[in-house]
Amino acid sequence: MTSASDLRSGKTHRDENFPVASWIIHPRHRALILAFYNFVRTADDIADHATLGADEKLRYLDLLEAELLGKGDTQPEAVSLRRAFAERAMAPRHALDVLVAFRMDVTKLRYENWDDVIHYCRYSAMPVGRFMLDVHGESTSTWAASDALCAGLQINNHLQDCAKDYKNLNRVYLPRDALAASGATVEMLGEAKSQPALLHCLHALAVRTEALLNESRSLSAEVKDFRLGLEIAVIQAFADRIVGMLKVRDPLSERVHLSKPELLVQSIGAITSEMIRRAAGRRPQTKPVAGA
């Protein structure tokens, strides 16, 4: 079978809300984090491939899992991650969890309600945060706040790319019951501009996502690693800014992604605030959520 990484030419990459192995993270962790990212990115490429059939996608995902677990050496991303885990004596549990989500992407095109979406995030996003915490030797007590942050990032991405996911993949992460409650339909995602009913649904979901992100605000203070704390503060700032745009803008017709200057400003502000907070020993502030 062809290497899974050879399939990337058929994939249109989605925008990412998950910064990976940035300069903030200590260099000793970057090789493992990048191996994890390359494995996950390859699995994502398979699940979203433009021309592969569902059965073939599932076969490739199964092959990645098998080789991650030591059953073969034909898939370089799986082999590299397997060896990186072995060097650190880490189990592959979080990488295996992510593969569950990519199989869902192949077989599941619609989500019934918010809980259904959160269940997807349990496998698509939460393992990324848990992996990062494990790499840094953090306590599992940090998982709850991390799960909230990662789910918020994932749902931000769903809202940002809702039209593209529908048009390119016929995949809709917006809950059916939320669409119905606003009088919106899936087909509205194919239009150039959101109709009022769809925009109401999108804004309501953004408010709900903001509440989720508010649950993650303690995470930077919960982690012991200084560099990881700074990284989390930056990611939280990105997520907060994005959800702020999603609450008032139309993702079908307006920009809902951060520009490079905005990324720089948010990064500097978050790093400065987190360094001051750590020096003073203060807890992060919880923001009130509109409509809460």
Side-chain angles (χ1 to χ4, degrees), residues 186-208:
V186 166
E187 290 73 23
M188 291 179 182
L189 291 168
E191 300 177 11
K193 181 179 180 180
S194 290
Q195 294 188 29
L198 178 59
L199 194 59
H200 178 271
C201 175
L202 292 170
H203 287 173
L205 290 170
V207 169
R208 196 163 189 180

Side-chain angles (χ1 to χ4, degrees), residues 3-258:
S3 170
S5 57
D6 295 334
L7 302 174
R8 291 191 172 183
S9 60
K11 164 74 168 23
T12 300
H13 287 282
R14 284 184 261 172
D15 296 292
E16 294 290 344
N17 287 333
F18 294 91
V20 175
S22 80
W23 60 270
I24 301 174
I25 294 296
H26 195 286
R28 70 174 178 271
H29 299 309
R30 290 178 190 161
L32 173 56
I33 293 170
L34 287 173
F36 184 88
Y37 174 78
N38 288 332
F39 178 86
V40 172
R41 182 77 271 165
T42 299
D44 191 22
D45 290 344
I46 294 167
D48 289 359
H49 198 279
T51 59
L52 284 180
D55 289 344
E56 194 169 2
K57 289 179 179 181
L58 292 174
R59 281 197 296 273
Y60 272 111
L61 292 172
D62 288 346
L63 180 61
L64 282 178
E65 177 173 317
E67 298 206 358
L68 178 64
L69 296 175
K71 303 170 185 176
D73 297 294
T74 66
Q75 306 301 308
E77 292 80 9
V79 174
S80 294
L81 182 57
R82 184 180 78 212
R83 291 172 178 168
F85 277 142
E87 288 176 3
R88 297 284 288 267
M90 288 181 64
R93 58 184 299 186
H94 304 308
L96 296 175
D97 278 350
V98 171
L99 289 178
V100 173
F102 292 129
R103 291 187 180 100
M104 291 172 66
D105 280 337
V106 175
T107 60
K108 186 178 178 70
L109 299 177
R110 301 291 185 269
Y111 291 79
E112 296 302 320
N113 50 45
W114 181 262
D115 288 344
D116 205 12
V117 174
I118 294 298
H119 176 73
Y120 172 78
C121 293
R122 163 64 184 85
Y123 294 98
S124 68
M126 295 178 192
V128 178
R130 295 179 180 189
F131 163 76
M132 289 292 291
L133 292 166
D134 281 1
V135 167
H136 288 81
E138 299 291 341
S139 167
T140 56
S141 66
T142 61
W143 282 14
S146 175
D147 288 352
L149 176 57
C150 291
L153 289 163
Q154 181 71 85
I155 298 171
N156 270 354
N157 187 253
H158 289 166
L159 297 175
Q160 289 171 304
D161 294 345
C162 58
K164 184 163 60 175
D165 285 338
Y166 173 66
K167 292 174 184 178
N168 296 344
L169 301 166
N170 189 30
R171 192 182 297 153
V172 180
Y173 297 101
L174 309 182
R176 288 183 193 267
D177 64 351
L179 288 165
S182 296
T185 65
V186 166
E187 290 73 23
M188 291 179 182
L189 291 168
E191 300 177 11
K193 181 179 180 180
S194 290
Q195 294 188 29
L198 178 59
L199 194 59
H200 178 271
C201 175
L202 292 170
H203 287 173
L205 290 170
V207 169
R208 196 163 189 180
T209 306
E210 184 182 47
L212 187 63
L213 288 169
N214 207 35
E215 297 175 14
S216 69
R217 206 162 302 283
S218 65
L219 181 59
S220 62
E222 290 180 22
V223 301
K224 296 178 181 178
D225 187 276
F226 176 70
R227 285 175 176 252
L228 181 60
L230 295 182
E231 179 84 353
I232 289 167
V234 169
I235 295 171
Q236 181 83 44
F238 290 172
D240 290 343
R241 180 72 183 101
I242 289 168
V243 83
M245 290 191 287
L246 289 166
K247 286 168 56 182
V248 297
R249 297 184 185 178
D250 176 11
L252 271 63
S253 62
E254 298 178 274
R255 183 178 64 86
V256 288
H257 293 82
L258 297 179

